[in-house]
Amino acid sequence: MKKRLLLFMLSTVMWGQSMAADKVPGAIIELSSGKTVEIALTDNPKMTFDGTTVKLTAVNVNVEYTPAEIAKVTIGEVESSVSGISSMEASQATMTVDAGFVRLSGFAANETVKVYTLNGVQTDSFQTDANGSLAISILSLPHGISIIKANQQTIKITRK
């Protein structure tokens, strides 16, 4: 039932409401940790549930949560500048792909970041700096699909 409700909420767009110029329709995901995640519907978000993990995908970003980590999902207005998944909270940890790098920010200092193959084999490990940031060159990743995981966030990168 939760799966159907979450999928319905993400697929519903509030067409009839007028929105501020800097707002677009989007999904607002409130996590049990108190953090909030925005996904603009223009970024074609998809939410799937495989029985243990809720996967949110939008514009080159994959994030995974357990169902217990998601407190509430609503449809509403989000910032139009949101591309993919980002936080409404300034201190929220984020992973983005930018100019040939996977950039992490807002994580804990010296947090471990692991890189896996699609088969689940760990290929590398990094640590964030004292500010909780890290930039990983996509060229340093093996060819094919790599999964980068830090804390509760995951991003999938394809290197040709």
Side-chain angles (χ1 to χ4, degrees), residues 7-116:
L7 291 173
F8 172 75
M9 292 174 81
L10 282 176
S11 65
T12 303
V13 178
M14 297 188 300
W15 293 105
Q17 290 188 343
S18 62
M19 298 196 184
D22 60 342
K23 301 281 188 170
V24 297
I28 302 156
I29 300 152
E30 295 178 33
L31 301 175
S32 55
S33 66
K35 296 178 181 176
T36 306
V37 176
E38 288 186 355
I39 305 174
L41 292 181
T42 56
D43 289 334
N44 299 316
K46 293 176 183 60
M47 180 182 283
T48 58
F49 180 66
D50 65 7
T52 58
T53 305
V54 176
K55 296 179 184 180
L56 304 171
T57 307
V59 187
N60 297 323
V61 179
N62 288 337
V63 181
E64 296 180 8
Y65 299 105
T66 64
E69 292 175 299
I70 299 175
K72 182 166 99 176
V73 178
T74 57
I75 301 294
E77 296 179 345
V78 299
E79 295 295 324
S80 62
S81 61
V82 172
S83 177
I85 299 172
S86 66
S87 170
M88 293 170 55
E89 181 179 314
S91 64
Q92 168 74 29
T94 61
M95 284 192 217
T96 58
V97 179
D98 175 38
F101 287 88
V102 177
R103 298 186 192 280
L104 290 79
S105 62
F107 286 85
N110 302 312
E111 186 160 341
T112 301
V113 178
K114 295 181 180 179
V115 180
Y116 298 92

Side-chain angles (χ1 to χ4, degrees), residues 80-156:
S80 62
S81 61
V82 172
S83 177
I85 299 172
S86 66
S87 170
M88 293 170 55
E89 181 179 314
S91 64
Q92 168 74 29
T94 61
M95 284 192 217
T96 58
V97 179
D98 175 38
F101 287 88
V102 177
R103 298 186 192 280
L104 290 79
S105 62
F107 286 85
N110 302 312
E111 186 160 341
T112 301
V113 178
K114 295 181 180 179
V115 180
Y116 298 92
T117 65
L118 195 56
N119 296 332
V121 176
Q122 184 177 334
T123 60
D124 214 336
S125 179
F126 302 92
Q127 284 193 320
T128 60
D129 63 17
N131 296 321
S133 300
L134 176 67
I136 302 170
S137 171
I138 293 175
L139 295 176
S140 71
L141 300 174
H143 290 278
I145 298 174
S146 292
I147 309 295
I148 301 174
K149 185 163 185 158
N151 196 344
Q152 297 297 321
Q153 294 198 32
T154 305
I155 190 168
K156 178 174 77 172

